Amino acid sequence: MYAPQILIEAALNGLMTGAVYALIALGLTLVYGVLHIINFAHGALLTVAMFAVWGAFALVHVDPYWAMVGIVPLMFGLGYGLQRFVIGPASHGNDNNVLLVTLGLSIVLENGLLALFRSDTRALDSDAALQVIELGPLLLSTPRVIGFAASLAVTGLLWLVLNRTDTGRAIRAVAREKLGARLVGIEVDHVYAVTFGIGCACLAVAACLLMPTYYVNPRSGAAFVLVAFTIVVLGGMGSIAGALVGGLIIGVVESFSGLLLGDSLGQIGIFLIFILVLLVRPTGLFGARA
Amino acid sequence: MSARDLLPAIVALALLAALPFLGLSGSVLNFLVTTLIIALAGLGWNVLGGFGGQYSFGHAAFFGTGAYATAILQMKLGWNAWGALGAGIGFGALVGLAIGYLSFRAGLRGSYFALVTLAFAEVFRILANAADFTGGAAGLLLPLRPGLATLQFADRKLFYLLVLAFVGVALLISRWLERSRFGAHLIAVRENEEAARALGVDALAVKLRAIALSAAITGAAGGLYVQSFLYLDAGVAYGTWISVEALLAPIVGGIGTAFGPLVGALALQGLGEITKHLAGGIPGVDLVVFGACLIAVIAFAPQGLLGLRPFRRRRKARGERTVPVGA
């Protein structure tokens, strides 16, 4: 029915998209693993980062990859501040409240961007998107190959930070046992905010990797966030390895269901997986929590 | 329920019923109709989310089903509008039962329940956008035929009163939940499901009945929406906007109270209208205010507007039972 070349290309494209999805899901799963909250503002924060990349390019002509240097710390700071001064204090430690506060935050951010930029779709006006790498008979888009490699690198870096640094140990300690961590002198509120900041920094990297081939409008992030939720649930809430594997799987599933069902129904494969995993195995592939 | 329990509801409804006869302009009346439809959707959400503590982020699934069933049964099968609306409510309840059965059986609560309801609404939206019988992406346009049998009135006042009647019924149901054994079971499940089960409450059955009731009321809001605007597409019917509006109204007004959704919808929509007016043509500003309100209410007034001091004191003085949410 399909030539093998098309199938291989679909699989590779799926893997490359999936790696960036995994990066977005990484921020979400890290925040869930440590703070035990679902951050509904994740998509809106991604949109903010994408607009920042677009702004840097359109106004001061900064290459999206170089923009990382500025946007990653900025997004970290934004995430730190939001958790420390808005989400934490406003939700009084109640999980349902966190859901609602982050939902409120996403409404504010998304519509704030709509008020500022209107609903026009914007893309980087550069020819980098058209460059390809030849791999035998296959043609692969250069920015997407870069995105794939960089996503894997960031995932590895994050793993190193969590496992080999004091900050990482503090984060894991808080995730495991909040009270115990507080007793040995870890400042829990600070660690929460740092974790949230790291989650946002992941979004900043993802935005820089996406923008060369993608576009942004105030609702862009919403499309990614449901995919990210699916990945997090599939991989197991809080699991970093799960986010990576889940991201790659979802990327391939999306690529193939787009090929077989067409664009308008293509996303339905993802949601069906989402619902199925939630109903049958809510702990996901790598989740430990019952 | 005693007459005293019903008195506040009757007074509120009578005041609202008198509104359109004060010589309001057509646009104000339209605004009130939309506000009441949102209040109705919120009253539905409040049954499951407020009384039952199960926060749904996908009430659009029920709103949209009610709306599509009402429109399609009239257009494709030639049903009478009243019958179609009734069937729409029934279909809404069925979808609620199905989603509830699947997710409550799997033991989903909290964040997981919020996510799965959101995903169901999205699946419905994508399917409705792709299917033929829903009119696909172009949507459905209900033919304009004013009359009692088609539920379309040349006089906007009559339609307003019809929507108000539905709001009245939903208010009575909420009032009944505050007083009845079923309502007590539902609140017990919200506060501590394990403890409720230990006392012999069938938690699954209680939650299923709650989601069916909740979905039916929100489905009615969907049916009335399509009768009011005579147009429907997947983004309107199953879009996140109505899921958000349905939960905002009760949370801002007073979660788990009968009047909360009505007060919340009136306050929010009023505020939204004022902001839109002040902001000129800038889109999204009213929603920024909504989002900020949501955060502010949770941070500073977790019991909503009705939980603020002047209201609370009067409620205590009258000796009503108040059960704090999330205590």
Side-chain angles (χ1 to χ4, degrees):
Chain A
M1 46 189 245
Y2 289 105
Q5 192 185 337
I6 294 180
L7 293 178
I8 294 171
E9 251 181 24
L12 285 178
N13 274 324
L15 283 175
M16 290 190 294
T17 317
V20 181
Y21 283 167
L23 194 54
I24 298 168
L26 211 56
L28 203 58
T29 206
L30 185 66
V31 168
Y32 185 85
V34 179
L35 284 76
H36 305 291
I37 62 167
I38 289 190
N39 174 18
F40 262 94
H42 206 63
L45 286 163
L46 175 64
T47 319
V48 170
M50 288 167 85
F51 264 109
V53 177
W54 173 81
F57 184 86
L59 304 176
V60 272
H61 306 289
V62 181
D63 177 86
Y65 299 123
W66 280 109
M68 246 182 244
V69 179
I71 290 173
V72 170
L74 275 179
M75 284 299 292
F76 176 86
L78 178 66
Y80 186 96
L82 280 178
Q83 166 60 29
R84 187 103 202 217
F85 302 113
V86 181
I87 303 171
S91 37
H92 311 294
N94 176 314
D95 282 0
N96 275 341
N97 283 350
V98 176
L99 280 180
L100 297 172
V101 170
T102 53
L103 177 73
L105 214 51
S106 80
I107 298 172
V108 169
L109 291 173
E110 207 172 85
N111 291 289
L113 289 169
L114 180 68
L116 283 175
F117 295 101
R118 306 302 159 94
S119 51
D120 306 335
T121 289
R122 293 177 165 85
L124 300 189
D125 190 17
S126 95
D127 46 2
L130 304 174
Q131 289 169 9
V132 288
I133 295 174
E134 278 183 54
L135 196 79
L138 305 170
L139 291 177
L140 301 175
S141 144
T142 308
R144 300 184 66 178
V145 174
I146 295 175
F148 179 72
S151 298
L152 294 187
V154 170
T155 310
L157 189 69
L158 191 64
W159 188 86
L160 278 179
V161 167
L162 284 176
N163 285 284
R164 294 281 183 273
T165 65
D166 281 346
T167 310
R169 286 191 192 96
I171 290 176
R172 284 186 297 136
V174 170
R176 191 67 63 81
E177 180 53 59
K178 191 166 77 173
L179 188 63
R182 206 190 292 274
L183 285 173
V184 298
I186 296 172
E187 218 187 313
V188 172
D189 288 340
H190 173 71
V191 170
Y192 273 3
V194 167
T195 310
F196 205 91
I198 294 177
C200 290
C202 290
L203 288 179
V205 178
C208 294
L209 298 174
L210 277 172
M211 278 312 284
T213 53
Y214 208 70
Y215 53 84
V216 60
N217 63 47
R219 300 215 22 93
S220 295
F224 285 99
V225 79
L226 276 168
V227 177
F229 280 140
T230 313
I231 293 167
V232 169
V233 168
L234 178 66
M237 296 250 203
S239 160
I240 291 190
L244 185 62
V245 175
L248 296 177
I249 294 176
I250 291 299
V252 173
V253 167
E254 187 192 51
S255 178
F256 278 108
S257 61
L259 186 68
L260 301 176
L261 298 170
D263 268 344
S264 68
L265 275 174
Q267 275 216 313
I268 212 151
I270 295 177
F271 292 117
L272 291 179
I273 291 183
F274 188 28
I275 292 173
L276 219 63
V277 175
L278 273 173
L279 295 180
V280 179
R281 192 179 158 79
T283 51
L285 298 174
F286 293 80
R289 210 176 63 98
Chain B
M1 282 190 286
S2 67
R4 233 177 86 172
D5 290 340
L6 296 178
L7 194 63
I10 292 167
V11 172
L13 290 174
L15 285 176
L16 283 170
L19 264 184
F21 299 98
L22 300 176
L24 300 176
S25 70
S27 59
V28 174
L29 212 49
N30 268 334
F31 161 76
L32 285 173
V33 167
T34 311
T35 303
L36 283 185
I37 289 176
I38 287 169
L40 188 59
L43 279 158
W45 188 92
N46 197 36
V47 170
L48 184 67
F51 291 101
Q54 314 295 319
Y55 284 24
S56 151
F57 276 38
H59 255 51
F62 316 135
F63 182 88
T65 303
Y68 269 120
T70 305
I72 291 169
L73 288 174
Q74 287 179 76
M75 290 173 67
K76 310 270 149 122
L77 300 179
W79 280 35
N80 167 302
W82 295 86
L85 180 59
I89 296 171
F91 275 112
L94 274 181
V95 168
L97 264 183
I99 293 179
Y101 182 78
L102 289 171
S103 21
F104 294 141
R105 276 296 293 257
L108 300 183
R109 17 172 142 160
S111 318
Y112 286 95
F113 182 69
L115 282 178
V116 83
T117 46
L118 181 76
F120 271 114
E122 276 299 293
V123 166
F124 280 22
R125 186 181 62 78
I126 295 172
L127 288 178
N129 202 41
D132 277 335
F133 69 98
T134 57
L140 292 174
L141 205 58
L142 230 64
L144 184 67
R145 279 174 312 186
L148 191 61
T150 53
L151 259 176
Q152 301 173 14
F153 305 109
D155 186 355
R156 198 72 180 145
K157 284 193 203 89
L158 290 174
F159 194 76
Y160 170 87
L161 291 176
L162 176 78
V163 179
L164 186 62
F166 272 89
V167 169
V169 171
L171 261 183
L172 291 182
I173 292 175
S174 306
R175 212 64 190 149
W176 167 74
L177 283 177
E178 285 181 332
R179 293 284 177 272
S180 68
R181 192 173 185 81
F182 171 64
H185 284 176
L186 192 54
I187 291 169
V189 168
R190 174 186 76 194
E191 294 303 320
N192 189 334
E193 190 170 330
E194 281 73 24
R197 287 234 297 267
L199 290 172
V201 176
D202 184 348
L204 180 65
V206 166
K207 287 198 275 188
L208 282 181
R209 261 184 265 162
I211 198 174
L213 186 58
S214 172
I217 297 172
T218 304
L224 289 169
Y225 182 94
V226 76
Q227 285 304 128
S228 168
F229 293 94
L230 302 179
Y231 172 75
L232 198 63
D233 67 17
V236 168
Y238 290 122
T240 39
W241 75 278
I242 187 65
S243 296
V244 169
E245 295 273 14
L247 74 85
L248 268 177
I251 285 168
V252 169
I255 187 163
T257 63
F259 282 103
L262 187 58
V263 171
L266 285 168
L268 279 171
Q269 298 304 315
L271 194 62
E273 209 55 30
I274 293 169
T275 337
K276 254 190 253 175
H277 194 71
L278 292 178
I282 305 172
V285 178
D286 52 328
L287 288 170
V288 171
V289 174
F290 280 15
C293 280
L294 177 60
I295 298 173
V297 162
I298 290 163
F300 305 115
Q303 307 284 310
L305 294 176
L306 290 179
L308 293 174
R309 197 155 291 135
F311 297 100
R312 202 167 49 201
R313 213 177 267 154
R314 271 182 33 222
R315 290 161 64 87
K316 277 211 182 114
R318 244 192 267 131
E320 285 186 28
R321 291 177 297 174
T322 47
V323 185
V325 178

